[in-house]
Amino acid sequence: MKRGKSQAVYKFLPGMWVSEKNDAGRAVTAEINNWNNRKMENIYHNFIEGEIKRQIFLFGKRGGDINSFNLNGENCFMVVEPACNEGIPDIIGTMSPLLFYCSSCHATFQKQSAGQVDSRTWWCSACNKQSIKQLQMVYTCECGYAQPIKRPFVKGVSELLYKPNVNPNKMFYRQGNAEKVAEFAIFCPNCQSRLVPDNAESSRNYKPFSLRLINLVDKRSGDFFEKGEEAQKIVIAKWFDKLTQDEYEAILDNVALAFSDTMRDTEQRKKAEEQARQLIAAGFGTEEDLEKMVANLLQNSGNNVGIDRYVSACDDLFAVVKNANEEVYKQWVSSYAYKLMQYDTIKYARQVFSLEDTIDKQMALEFIDDPSDILNMHKRLGIVNMQVSCDIKVISCTYGYTRKTADPMISQKQNSKCRLKLNAYEKTKDGNANLVYGAELETEGILFEVSQRKIIEWLRINNVITEEQMPDVEDEIAIKKWFAENVKGDVVSMFGEIEESEKITKYVFGLLHSMAHAFIKTAGEISGLSGNSLTEIIIVETASIFIYAQTTQAVPLGALSGMAENNYAQFLNKVYSDTRNCVFDPICTDRDDTSCSACMIIPEISCNHFNNELGRKYLYTIETMDQPITGFWEM
């Protein structure tokens, strides 16, 4: 069973059942056992592991079972990809289930192993017709247990009939002149929950937990990230305009020099002070001029790669947090900086098609009469910048899966008899690390930067925050600092809703997530890409949305950039007008989340968050709600 690397991460993972056509063109269901894999290189492993651990801990905090993972210490996970060795299958699967039935006479039989299945299997021994089909159903349980369907045991009965048109969940047998029922239902051997069979490929049976992260590693950034906490603080300082992009690039070009002892600010000042005193001794100044002379010497030295000042700038900005709890501050710096690194990688991609380029192109083609046709819609939608970023490398990695549902809290509300279990994959050969199945794809996408100022004003209008909680909205640094302190990306999970106690983050993420899905749906329609060909990365810390093409389905690169070049004004107007209404209104607007498959929900393969925290209520004022929210797009 062979598949492309990226597609394997979504559709062909150990523990799931998939349907394929065999050599005879017959659909056959198989259970994926494992991959022929190799360790993925050139990825920023430490952060990937940290993000996986964070998501698993959040799952446990919500009441889920995470005991199958070893989370102590470092190197608890190894990201692997298909080995792609010539002549060796990358994905190993075994035919399952092994229960077969005749669609003509309804006779059934059970094979004991996949090796027993051959060309003769598909001929019915009872009616001699080539009408045998595989019964493609399985049992799965929230505790993690799963097994293929088997023939029910009825004492003294050897012949069972299967009549899917009568009842697909039962078998029948003769007892005298009467026809009796043999139930398929079983009890889970682990938790004793009653299980009924389901279609083997149903998404209910397998909920993969995946991350999509921007890969940051090249030679320069790799050397930079190795510097740890100081490097992270420099990235934060840049976000707060304490150094320019050119100064940041200078550090990346001279990492060893910038972090060397001789280039520390204290060393540079010491040298400048020595030079100043020599000048004073030679009669070129007085002792009162010392500080001014030192400052001038430092400024004119042409050496701006020392990093102490930038590290200190980060500490000064968040001195209150740092002084309150040093360890919490260090964890926050690591998480926050990595999100900013992802943003930077998209923002400063090697090839960028800017908003100005879009406006110029559409003016030249006479698709718009004036730049205001785009800029006014940007203002209405709260977009402060848009750009197409090309040659972006995205790491997709799946670290575990659940059965039936993805959120432990939903499981608890349904009074499940067992805890929802997050299943780990098998361990490495030495038994020290859990495998994470990954793939890298190089793609293009559109970066939307949403106005943090407008978001804060929207929160105030909807009484999520008070007037006293607001920063100075005329001060860009104050706005960024407020976002950093109040919008907590580390509470956003991949599988469940954000708790009400984190109301600010809940509203901000709900808004950005809803905008992302509106963009994806409209971009798909205009560019001609299918619903599962686009996906999202949301960076709440910068109020940014990156939608990009998943090349897993052989998506032609250029579709998104072509849309941005030629149809961007149409895209903006269509996003605004089409998202307002839903074909299922008023039923959809009567729902608390004001979202459904016709308006906001997209295929799970395209959504990093299982379609949680969505709603048109964030974008528009829906008067039929008990407590209407002022829509972000109607301010």
Side-chain angles (χ1 to χ4, degrees):
M1 187 178 295
K2 295 184 178 181
R3 280 295 177 273
K5 289 183 182 180
S6 298
Q7 192 179 17
V9 176
Y10 300 108
K11 291 188 174 181
F12 298 89
L13 291 159
M16 72 189 310
W17 277 267
V18 300
S19 182
E20 286 291 293
K21 287 188 176 180
N22 62 12
D23 295 338
R26 183 179 291 107
V28 173
T29 296
E31 182 181 6
I32 302 299
N33 304 123
N34 52 57
W35 285 12
N36 178 29
N37 61 65
R38 66 187 177 196
K39 183 179 180 181
M40 184 180 283
E41 304 291 348
N42 299 318
I43 58 175
Y44 191 26
H45 180 271
N46 289 344
F47 182 79
I48 292 176
E49 173 155 323
E51 185 65 8
I52 290 173
K53 284 184 176 180
R54 185 178 73 81
Q55 292 294 333
I56 292 174
F57 282 129
L58 284 173
F59 187 91
K61 186 178 178 182
R62 292 173 74 87
D65 181 352
I66 57 175
N67 290 323
S68 62
F69 293 91
N70 173 24
L71 303 174
N72 297 319
E74 299 178 351
N75 299 317
C76 299
F77 298 90
M78 178 187 290
V79 184
V80 297
E81 62 182 349
C84 296
N85 293 326
E86 188 66 30
I88 301 176
D90 293 318
I91 302 168
I92 313 300
T94 304
M95 181 183 285
S96 173
L98 296 175
L99 179 57
F100 300 85
Y101 72 98
C102 176
S103 59
S104 179
C105 70
H106 309 301
T108 63
F109 58 91
Q110 180 86 44
K111 294 289 186 181
Q112 299 306 309
S113 70
Q116 295 178 347
V117 179
D118 55 26
S119 59
R120 293 171 297 177
T121 302
W122 308 103
W123 288 86
C124 178
S125 60
C127 67
N128 201 32
K129 293 182 180 179
Q130 193 177 5
S131 51
I132 295 298
K133 294 184 178 181
Q134 181 189 24
L135 186 47
Q136 299 165 327
M137 301 181 79
V138 298
Y139 300 102
T140 57
C141 184
E142 291 182 10
C143 74
Y145 178 78
Q147 74 164 54
I149 196 168
K150 294 181 180 179
R151 283 215 313 176
F153 173 75
V154 181
K155 188 176 180 179
V157 175
S158 59
E159 294 183 3
L160 290 171
L161 304 177
Y162 181 63
K163 302 177 181 180
N165 294 331
V166 176
N167 193 323
N169 293 319
K170 294 179 180 180
M171 278 192 169
F172 301 90
Y173 62 94
R174 291 281 181 184
Q175 193 172 71
N177 294 325
E179 189 172 75
K180 300 286 187 178
V181 171
E183 293 281 355
F184 270 130
I186 66 170
F187 288 94
C188 174
N190 293 339
C191 68
Q192 300 306 307
S193 296
R194 186 176 184 272
L195 307 180
V196 293
D198 195 1
N199 186 294
E201 285 195 288
S202 170
S203 62
R204 291 185 294 271
N205 295 324
Y206 197 95
K207 302 284 185 181
F209 278 53
S210 300
L211 297 173
R212 296 186 185 99
L213 305 166
I214 304 299
N215 193 19
L216 311 174
V217 174
D218 56 29
K219 181 64 171 67
R220 295 192 315 158
S221 57
D223 292 343
F224 177 70
F225 299 152
E226 286 299 316
K227 300 302 178 181
E229 187 177 343
E230 286 188 323
Q232 295 161 3
K233 290 180 179 179
I234 292 171
V235 173
I236 295 173
K238 185 172 82 69
W239 173 242
F240 286 93
D241 299 332
K242 301 303 180 183
L243 70 157
T244 65
Q245 182 64 24
D246 288 342
E247 289 171 329
Y248 180 66
E249 292 286 341
I251 294 174
L252 293 182
D253 288 336
N254 302 275
V255 172
L257 179 63
F259 286 85
S260 65
D261 290 339
T262 57
M263 292 304 299
R264 296 290 179 173
D265 288 352
T266 52
E267 288 294 323
Q268 293 300 300
R269 178 178 173 80
K270 184 178 178 181
K271 291 178 182 179
E273 191 172 325
E274 290 175 356
Q275 294 176 22
R277 292 194 181 280
Q278 290 174 3
L279 291 171
I280 291 171
F284 291 100
T286 64
E287 192 68 31
E288 288 77 15
D289 299 323
L290 178 63
E291 286 301 320
K292 185 177 180 180
M293 293 173 70
V294 169
N296 287 334
L297 286 167
L298 287 171
Q299 184 176 356
N300 296 328
S301 66
N303 189 354
N304 295 316
V305 295
I307 49 90
D308 285 347
R309 74 201 76 171
Y310 309 131
V311 173
S312 297
C314 176
D315 289 337
D316 292 342
L317 276 166
F318 299 99
V320 174
V321 181
K322 184 175 185 294
N323 295 334
N325 191 316
E326 184 79 26
E327 188 59 34
V328 169
Y329 175 64
K330 288 177 67 175
Q331 293 173 0
W332 174 82
V333 164
S334 176
S335 175
Y336 188 60
Y338 188 75
K339 297 296 181 64
L340 295 179
M341 291 173 192
Q342 292 190 81
Y343 166 81
D344 272 1
T345 303
I346 302 170
K347 178 78 172 177
Y348 303 101
R350 284 178 291 179
Q351 183 179 351
V352 167
F353 190 83
S354 69
L355 175 61
E356 290 73 20
D357 295 331
T358 293
I359 291 173
D360 291 344
K361 181 72 177 289
Q362 298 209 13
M363 289 283 289
L365 295 173
E366 299 184 352
F367 290 159
I368 58 174
D369 298 322
D370 189 87
S372 62
D373 292 351
I374 287 176
L375 297 178
N376 287 343
M377 281 305 298
H378 262 203
K379 185 176 181 181
R380 170 170 284 179
L381 299 179
I383 301 170
V384 291
N385 184 51
M386 179 283 300
Q387 69 177 53
V388 176
S389 298
C390 303
D391 304 324
I392 299 296
K393 294 182 178 180
V394 180
I395 301 295
S396 299
C397 50
T398 305
Y399 55 90
Y401 62 93
T402 59
R403 307 283 191 187
K404 297 300 187 182
T405 185
D407 187 353
M409 287 192 172
I410 292 178
S411 178
Q412 293 167 18
K413 289 176 182 177
Q414 294 173 345
N415 297 317
S416 175
K417 292 182 178 180
C418 58
R419 291 174 69 194
L420 182 65
K421 183 177 182 178
L422 182 57
N423 299 275
Y425 292 115
E426 64 182 21
K427 294 186 180 296
T428 52
K429 291 180 180 179
D430 59 14
N432 293 327
N434 288 110
L435 294 183
V436 174
Y437 294 94
E440 180 185 76
L441 65 90
E442 188 168 316
T443 187
E444 66 173 21
I446 303 177
L447 174 67
F448 297 94
E449 297 177 75
V450 183
S451 170
Q452 292 183 326
R453 171 178 175 169
K454 184 173 180 178
I455 290 175
I456 293 172
E457 292 172 339
W458 173 73
L459 293 172
R460 174 65 192 95
I461 289 172
N462 286 298
N463 297 315
V464 178
I465 60 174
T466 64
E467 191 75 37
E468 292 72 27
Q469 290 176 286
M470 292 184 66
D472 180 356
V473 294
E474 301 301 326
D475 184 342
E476 197 66 33
I477 298 300
I479 290 172
K480 286 182 176 181
K481 190 169 184 290
W482 187 93
F483 243 74
E485 293 174 340
N486 292 279
V487 181
K488 302 173 182 177
D490 58 351
V491 303
V492 178
S493 74
M494 300 298 172
F495 47 83
E497 295 185 352
I498 300 169
E499 295 181 13
E500 290 294 334
S501 59
E502 299 292 348
K503 193 173 183 179
I504 293 174
T505 305
K506 187 177 180 71
Y507 267 68
V508 173
F509 180 76
L511 169 65
L512 295 175
H513 198 197
S514 301
M515 290 179 70
H517 282 215
F519 294 157
I520 285 173
K521 285 213 165 192
T522 303
E525 291 179 24
I526 295 179
S527 67
L529 298 174
S530 62
N532 59 357
S533 297
L534 296 173
T535 189
E536 67 198 351
I537 289 179
I538 298 170
I539 306 174
V540 293
E541 291 80 357
T542 61
S544 301
I545 299 164
F546 183 61
I547 66 170
Y548 64 91
Q550 296 189 95
T551 53
T552 55
Q553 290 83 24
V555 175
L557 293 182
L560 278 181
S561 55
M563 185 203 74
E565 289 182 44
N566 302 316
N567 302 100
Y568 188 59
Q570 178 193 358
F571 165 81
L572 292 173
N573 284 287
K574 191 172 178 62
V575 164
Y576 180 73
S577 60
D578 286 7
T579 311
R580 177 184 292 277
N581 300 308
C582 175
V583 295
F584 292 124
D585 284 339
I587 296 173
C588 185
T589 53
D590 287 342
R591 293 163 54 97
D592 290 338
D593 53 10
T594 61
S595 66
C596 70
S597 58
C599 56
M600 292 263 95
I601 292 175
I602 61 177
E604 284 190 358
I605 192 175
S606 297
C607 181
N608 261 337
H609 303 275
F610 291 101
N611 284 303
N612 287 310
E613 304 292 357
L614 291 171
R616 287 180 293 143
K617 63 184 179 182
Y618 295 112
L619 308 177
Y620 307 97
T621 304
I622 299 177
E623 298 292 350
T624 57
M625 294 180 62
D626 292 337
Q627 296 179 319
I629 298 171
T630 299
F632 185 73
W633 287 352
E634 296 186 329
M635 287 175 58

